[in-house]
Amino acid sequence: MTSSLIRKTVGTDRRTFLASSVLAAGLVLAGPLGTARARAADGLTLRLPAPSGPHPVGAATLYLVDHKRRDPWEAIPVREVMITVCYPARTVHGHPLAPQLTEGAAKAFRDVDVVFHHLPDKGVNWGSTLTYVHTGAPAQTVRRPVLVYSPGGGDPRTMGTGLAGELASHGWIVVTVDHPGDASEVDFPGTMQGREKVRTTVFRGDPRMDAHRFDTAITTRIADVRFVLDSLEALAAGRNPDAKGRALPEGLGLALDMRRVGVYGHSAGGTTAAEALYEDGRIRAAVNMEGYLDHTPQTPGRPGELFPVARYGAGRPLLLLGSDGFTHREELERSWTPLLAHPRGCARRERIRDAAHWVFTDYAALAPQLQAAGLMPAADRNALVGAASPAVAVPEVRRRVHSFFARHLPPS
């Protein structure tokens, strides 16, 4: 389904665990402080896979405010967007590693994501995971192509941290985007009329089951991506788009080549990436990781109205990347087939084997660690990310996305 909030509940005896099946995870899950270690008193610390590229990676978080739009979900007078920019750094000396989740986001994650994704509600310290990106490090002042990431419906941008860091380590500027009100949790630099500092999702079910809600989500996401591109153009021109005026890393604006822009996304973010490619001529290539290309069907079991990108063709390179374990693959294929058959011929399809819907996110690395620690049943892990070892699945997803953008938006 397009929303990453709800998945089919798997009937499993939670007393039975197959921890030995993921011992290979240690091959790729060595973290900044060593390999995945045993649980401490405050819970297990999970590890993200290390980037494989030659560049150290810096990161900056920006708070963007679009005064031309009101928030579509709640009574907030403007549209706010939080982004993280990952980039090849000149040096990372003296710049700390960023946590995957801020303290506020980690608390909300326990309340929201744990429930929606059938993650363990005890035994994990969700706020202790470190990334491989260094906060505030100076950027290499080499103009590099920009890739924008839109996460799945209900998912935060932070669950795309591993792939973003990987791409940045190979020379791209990667911008991960939160879509507030949609995203499970978004930690802002302060409060705002109509919301707390940490804003959680308004979704209480799969938004694709509600035609109006699904259309609102996709329309809002596309507008968010286009607004982010506007803000990045301002940054490249020497202005600071952060609404709080916070200092930016040295050289960051000089590193952005806004003539070479790509978008990639997962689930609802994949839908967003594909349709944004069609609507915005600044975007030269896109990757849709298992996102529908049709609206919610008016009649269950019947095709929905196609998005323009599927009806009229992409016109520019578009990769449709799927998994063989997606439970709604027939519906997905029904929306992809017209695009693939279009005579404009700029779309191609690839598939990850022994994988499931969230293999395109950080859950591909995290779920096997939870299983190995006895905190997640094998069936739940397989339904979330598939049975493939993270030593296979994580590099495979990285390779597919890297190869596509290296072909169409090479970093050098």
Side-chain angles (χ1 to χ4, degrees):
M1 68 194 86
T2 301
S3 170
S4 293
L5 281 176
I6 300 296
R7 65 179 176 85
K8 183 178 180 181
T9 301
V10 180
T12 307
D13 183 349
R14 291 184 176 272
R15 295 170 298 179
T16 303
F17 303 105
L18 301 177
S20 61
S21 65
V22 292
L23 292 178
L27 297 174
V28 295
L29 297 177
L33 303 180
T35 56
R37 61 191 178 191
R39 271 173 281 179
D42 55 353
L44 177 70
T45 292
L46 300 173
R47 300 302 183 195
L48 293 173
S52 66
H55 302 288
V57 179
T61 298
L62 279 72
Y63 168 53
L64 308 177
V65 177
D66 186 352
H67 293 276
K68 297 178 181 178
R69 289 187 293 154
R70 296 183 63 86
D71 190 89
W73 303 114
E74 297 182 283
I76 299 173
V78 294
R79 179 59 178 169
E80 304 169 283
V81 180
M82 292 296 296
I83 65 173
T84 296
V85 184
C86 299
Y87 50 88
R90 187 171 73 248
T91 177
V92 295
H93 180 70
H95 294 274
L97 292 170
Q100 183 182 29
L101 299 172
T102 65
E103 182 179 352
K107 183 179 184 302
F109 185 93
R110 290 192 297 269
D111 297 335
V112 181
D113 298 72
V114 161
V115 174
F116 287 132
H117 288 297
H118 299 269
L119 303 172
D121 58 358
K122 297 179 181 178
V124 182
N125 184 344
W126 295 106
S128 64
T129 300
L130 291 177
T131 70
Y132 285 87
V133 302
H134 296 257
T135 301
Q140 297 178 16
T141 53
V142 177
R143 292 285 184 183
R144 299 184 182 277
V146 176
L147 306 179
V148 177
Y149 171 68
S150 177
D155 277 348
R157 74 188 192 278
T158 49
M159 284 299 127
T161 296
L163 182 54
E166 167 71 4
L167 293 169
S169 79
H170 283 278
W172 284 279
I173 310 291
V174 185
V175 182
T176 61
V177 181
D178 264 333
H179 304 284
D182 176 332
S184 52
E185 69 279 334
V186 183
D187 191 356
F188 290 97
T191 60
M192 162 72 74
Q193 176 186 337
R195 67 153 175 83
E196 302 295 329
K197 184 176 185 298
V198 178
R199 182 179 175 185
T200 56
T201 182
V202 300
F203 294 163
R204 295 298 179 267
D206 181 1
R208 188 166 168 83
M209 302 305 293
D210 180 320
H212 175 70
R213 178 155 286 203
F214 178 70
D215 288 348
T216 299
I218 300 302
T219 300
T220 301
R221 285 163 161 267
I222 293 170
D224 287 346
V225 168
R226 301 186 74 168
F227 171 60
V228 167
L229 293 181
D230 294 342
S231 300
L232 294 174
E233 288 178 338
L235 177 58
R239 300 190 295 277
N240 183 353
D242 187 89
K244 294 285 187 180
R246 298 175 299 179
L248 300 177
E250 180 185 343
L252 182 57
L254 296 175
L256 300 169
D257 185 351
M258 296 307 296
R259 299 167 302 173
R260 296 185 291 161
V261 173
V263 179
Y264 68 104
H266 170 242
S267 199
T271 308
T272 302
E275 186 59 24
L277 175 72
Y278 177 84
E279 294 185 15
D280 196 318
R282 293 174 292 184
I283 302 170
R284 294 177 54 178
V287 178
N288 171 3
M289 298 182 286
E290 223 152 55
Y292 293 107
L293 294 180
D294 64 348
H295 297 269
T296 298
Q298 297 299 313
T299 303
R302 300 293 300 275
E305 180 184 356
L306 294 174
F307 280 100
V309 66
R311 187 183 312 125
Y312 302 117
R316 294 182 295 282
L318 173 60
L319 173 62
L320 304 177
L321 187 56
S323 67
D324 62 359
F326 186 38
T327 55
H328 298 269
R329 200 169 77 196
E330 183 177 341
E331 298 170 42
L332 184 74
E333 293 289 336
R334 196 161 55 209
S335 74
W336 283 10
T337 298
L339 173 60
L340 291 165
H342 201 279
R344 295 176 76 173
C346 291
R348 57 184 293 185
R349 174 176 51 196
E350 298 179 8
R351 186 173 294 160
I352 307 295
R353 297 180 57 188
D354 300 321
H357 189 53
W358 281 270
V359 74
F360 305 106
T361 72
D362 288 342
Y363 289 118
L366 303 182
Q369 292 176 70
L370 295 173
Q371 184 194 354
L375 295 171
M376 175 177 275
D380 277 8
R381 169 261 176 93
N382 292 346
L384 190 67
V385 299
S389 164
V392 175
V394 171
E396 185 65 9
V397 171
R398 289 178 168 189
R399 181 183 69 81
R400 304 287 184 120
V401 178
H402 177 281
S403 296
F404 175 81
F405 284 124
R407 186 180 310 118
H408 301 292
L409 291 169
S412 59

